[in-house]
Amino acid sequence: MRIRLAVTTFALATALSAGAALPTAAATPASSAPAAATPKVQDILDHLPDDVVAGALIRQDGVGVTAGPVTADAHFRIGSVTKVFTNTVVLQLVAEHRIGLDTPARRYVPRVLPKAYDRVTVRQLLDHTSGLPKPAPTPGPADGPGWQLKSVTPEDFLRDSFATATDAPPAPGSEQQYNGLNSFVLGLIVEKVTGHSFTTELERRIIRPLHLSHTSLPAADDPTIPSPHAEVYVDGQDVTEQSPYPWAEGGMISTAADLDRFITALFRGRLLPPAQQKLVSDVPKVRSAADNANCGGHEACYSVGGLMRYRLLNGEYAWGKTGSRPGWDNGIFVTHNLEHRVVYSLNPTGAGNALPYIKAIVNAALAAVPATPAPTASAAAGAAIRSVPAAGADGPTPPG
């Protein structure tokens, strides 16, 4: 399968703010017939590929549909959707009393976090209220041919990020700033307390128990991706093979079916005991940082579980996560009770902004639920989990 992309921008915005309409090219049929006010997923796919999206894979309520040269079983680099896996592993270790949720993270990794961050807790890493600095630059086209294969270790990446920080960090827990550095630190904490690699713990705790046979976290020196997959390009250069250096922050590979199985298991309580399950949708009652574009407002939207709270056009709240790597924009979202769920993977061309397509897909897939009064920030936290019966679960800076 070959999708030739000319990706010139790596990381589209990774937050979904309500109210966006599908671009005219994708929402309006070729005929003069008016488009539906709320397009269905198939309506969107019927007008793809186009100048902005070269291929699309959407799995809605367990059924996969595609547009362009993409198959429903294609593998893709999931980017920051990886964060939800990472947070789940950490919460399992919290349940086992091997990690303290409100313990200063520096107690576990004193050589990783500078003393200036000695008050940052594990919880604050999980919900992006740590105040860690902006990530240091990572490999990009400006680094010359082969940039996509260049790598950086988690330790070096964190060290560079702290070394280049110029602003005084905000008080831990005072505001939410989505930041991939949190996930790198969490991955290193997992390794420290277990004595095993993060990959080993990920496989033992999530991938094997859920039989996610098409999901992996590649080794640092493995740039390959299993077939079938899209072939993607940046500025005419094939970058389908690329370094998985984002690691616990954004280095995983998966399929729509596997991600569907994972998010379903997570919301059915198969991966966490009740106390930690409540944290999956526990959003801190703090402001969203002024330069944080992800939440689309002034209130925090990311939970301790690493999920984003997103308000659909019908007023219902959905929970999920977006993620991107060069050539892929992906996401997983579900409504409460798992009444509706969607996994998508788009192949952007770089000729325009794919974010309106993402919003349209999520709303089309999930907004068929009767509208309910919008909960307050405190009421929304945990609502998706409490209503589910237990069943025993990119770019020059780290990808969104």
Side-chain angles (χ1 to χ4, degrees):
M1 183 192 333
R2 301 172 70 87
I3 297 178
R4 195 167 188 85
L5 305 178
V7 182
T8 55
T9 57
F10 302 130
L12 298 172
T14 56
L16 306 178
S17 56
L22 188 67
T24 303
T28 305
S31 69
S32 59
T38 303
K40 293 183 171 63
V41 166
Q42 192 58 53
D43 294 331
I44 299 169
L45 289 175
D46 284 346
H47 301 283
L48 294 177
D50 65 5
D51 291 342
V52 177
V53 175
L57 189 173
I58 302 172
R59 185 178 177 90
Q60 180 184 11
D61 297 335
V63 178
V65 288
T66 65
V70 184
T71 60
D73 59 346
H75 295 78
F76 48 89
R77 299 184 187 276
I78 71 174
S80 285
V81 177
T82 302
K83 290 182 174 69
V84 187
F85 287 81
T86 298
N87 284 32
T88 301
V89 170
V90 172
L91 288 176
Q92 288 180 345
L93 289 165
V94 169
E96 296 166 11
H97 306 289
R98 302 173 72 181
I99 292 177
L101 190 63
D102 295 308
T103 299
R106 198 165 182 270
R107 292 188 188 177
Y108 301 107
V109 285
R111 296 184 179 181
V112 172
L113 288 173
K115 283 198 72 173
Y117 300 92
D118 60 0
R119 293 172 51 209
V120 172
T121 67
V122 172
R123 182 195 298 267
Q124 291 160 351
L125 295 173
L126 290 165
D127 67 14
H128 296 286
T129 60
S130 65
L132 297 190
K134 293 180 179 179
T138 51
D143 295 311
W147 63 267
Q148 75 278 9
L149 301 175
K150 295 182 179 179
S151 186
V152 58
T153 68
E155 293 86 352
D156 286 345
F157 183 56
L158 287 164
R159 188 178 303 111
D160 291 345
S161 298
F162 289 123
T164 56
T166 56
D167 299 330
S174 64
E175 65 179 25
Q176 187 173 77
Q177 174 61 66
Y178 181 75
N179 190 337
L181 294 189
N182 295 311
S183 300
F184 281 99
V185 177
L186 290 169
L188 292 173
I189 291 175
V190 169
E191 295 193 331
K192 183 68 173 181
V193 301
T194 65
H196 303 139
S197 72
F198 177 75
T199 301
T200 296
E201 291 297 313
L202 180 66
E203 292 173 347
R204 183 175 75 84
R205 294 171 175 275
I206 299 178
I207 293 177
R208 287 201 297 269
L210 295 184
H211 304 289
L212 306 181
S213 57
H214 301 289
T215 298
S216 64
L217 178 57
D221 60 352
D222 182 6
T224 63
I225 181 170
S227 294
H229 60 75
E231 184 174 284
V232 297
Y233 287 75
V234 170
D235 294 338
Q237 181 180 359
D238 186 344
V239 297
T240 308
E241 292 195 350
Q242 51 186 266
S243 169
Y245 73 85
W247 190 54
E249 190 270 342
M252 292 179 66
I253 292 171
S254 191
T255 63
D258 272 12
L259 290 182
D260 190 17
R261 187 177 299 118
F262 166 68
I263 196 67
T264 299
L266 179 63
F267 270 74
R268 284 184 174 164
R270 291 182 54 195
L271 292 172
L272 296 167
Q276 287 68 45
Q277 187 73 35
K278 292 178 181 178
L279 298 173
V280 168
S281 55
D282 183 8
V283 176
K285 300 176 185 177
V286 298
R287 67 179 181 272
S288 180
D291 60 347
N292 184 17
N294 295 335
C295 292
H298 300 296
E299 293 183 343
C301 69
Y302 284 100
S303 71
V304 177
L307 295 173
M308 180 198 306
R309 183 179 62 205
Y310 168 56
R311 187 174 181 175
L312 300 168
L313 295 180
N314 68 348
E316 179 77 16
Y317 276 85
W319 295 88
K321 186 69 188 74
T322 57
S324 61
R325 292 295 295 144
W328 287 276
D329 281 315
N330 323 291
I332 52 174
F333 282 87
V334 298
T335 56
H336 70 284
N337 290 329
L338 293 175
E339 185 174 4
H340 293 288
R341 40 188 217 283
V342 64
V343 180
Y344 67 85
S345 180
L346 306 183
N347 299 116
T349 66
N353 189 353
L355 184 58
Y357 296 73
I358 294 171
K359 295 174 181 177
I361 289 167
V362 173
N363 275 285
L366 302 184
V369 187
T372 57
T376 62
S378 59
I385 301 302
R386 285 196 299 271
S387 60
V388 178
D394 303 308
T397 57

